[in-house]
Amino acid sequence: MSNEIEARLEALGLSLPDAPAPAANYVPYVLTGNTLYVSGQISAMDGELIKGKVGTDLTVEEGTAAAMACALSLLAQVKAALGGDLTRLKRVVKLVGFVNSLGNFTDQPKVINGASDLMVAVLGDKGRHARSAVSAAALPLGVAVEIEGIFEVE
C-alpha cells in the first residue's frame, strides 16, 4: 500500500514534505491504540508559509491549494508516526480545518475541500472522512489554513 500511495502522489505530481517539527511545547502526533491524532498542520509549501485571509488576501482557489498543502503535511506526519510504513494507515477518520477569514466569508467548506479531495485522490475510499470546516479570525503566524487529523492505523 505504501508504494501505491507514493505512486498515486507521484501520478498527481505531488510528494510528501518532511514532517514538520513542532513549533512549541507539544508533539506532532499521539498514537494511542489504533488511533493516531495529528496536531494541526499549517499551510506551507516548499518551506514557505502560505499566509493571508482567504476571501480578502487570497482567493478561494488559493485557499484550497493551502488546504492541500496542509493535507500533505498531515500525511507526512502519519508516515513519520508509522515509522515510514504507510501500509499501516487504515483510514482517515476526521479532519478539522480552520480557515483564516473574515466574518462575512462563508466558503470554508470549499477551501477545506482541497484537503478532503487530496485524501481521497491519494488514498481512495480510505481517504473518505468526517470533517469540520470553520472560520478563524487569525491563525498562527498569519497562515491561511490549519488542519488537524485523526487516523485509524494498524
Side-chain angles (χ1 to χ4, degrees):
M1 173 66 111
S2 183
N3 290 338
E4 181 181 325
I5 292 170
E6 300 289 343
R8 285 185 184 175
L9 284 166
E10 186 176 330
L12 294 168
L14 302 170
S15 61
L16 295 182
D18 292 333
N25 188 19
Y26 64 91
V27 294
Y29 51 80
V30 171
L31 178 59
T32 180
N34 288 359
T35 306
L36 176 64
Y37 298 87
V38 179
S39 295
Q41 301 297 297
I42 59 176
S43 53
M45 183 64 70
D46 299 324
E48 296 292 323
L49 296 177
I50 303 169
K51 294 183 173 187
K53 290 201 176 293
V54 181
T56 305
D57 307 317
L58 302 170
T59 65
V60 170
E61 293 76 18
E62 290 169 322
T64 299
M68 289 177 65
C70 292
L72 290 171
S73 291
L74 284 166
L75 289 174
Q77 292 292 5
V78 170
K79 185 175 181 178
L82 300 178
D85 183 8
L86 285 173
T87 63
R88 293 178 53 204
L89 176 58
K90 289 184 72 173
R91 74 167 302 145
V92 181
V93 176
K94 184 171 184 180
L95 298 181
V96 179
F98 301 92
V99 180
N100 187 350
S101 54
L102 296 176
N104 62 349
F105 181 79
T106 58
D107 283 336
Q108 292 83 2
K110 289 181 183 177
V111 171
I112 302 304
N113 280 346
S116 295
D117 292 346
L118 184 130
M119 291 297 184
V120 173
V122 172
L123 302 170
D125 283 340
K126 292 181 181 189
R128 298 192 185 285
H129 53 273
R131 123 180 154 185
S132 300
V134 298
S135 180
L139 289 173
L141 304 173
V143 297
V145 178
E146 179 174 0
I147 303 176
E148 65 181 57
I150 304 170
F151 303 84
E152 182 183 0
V153 299
E154 294 178 339

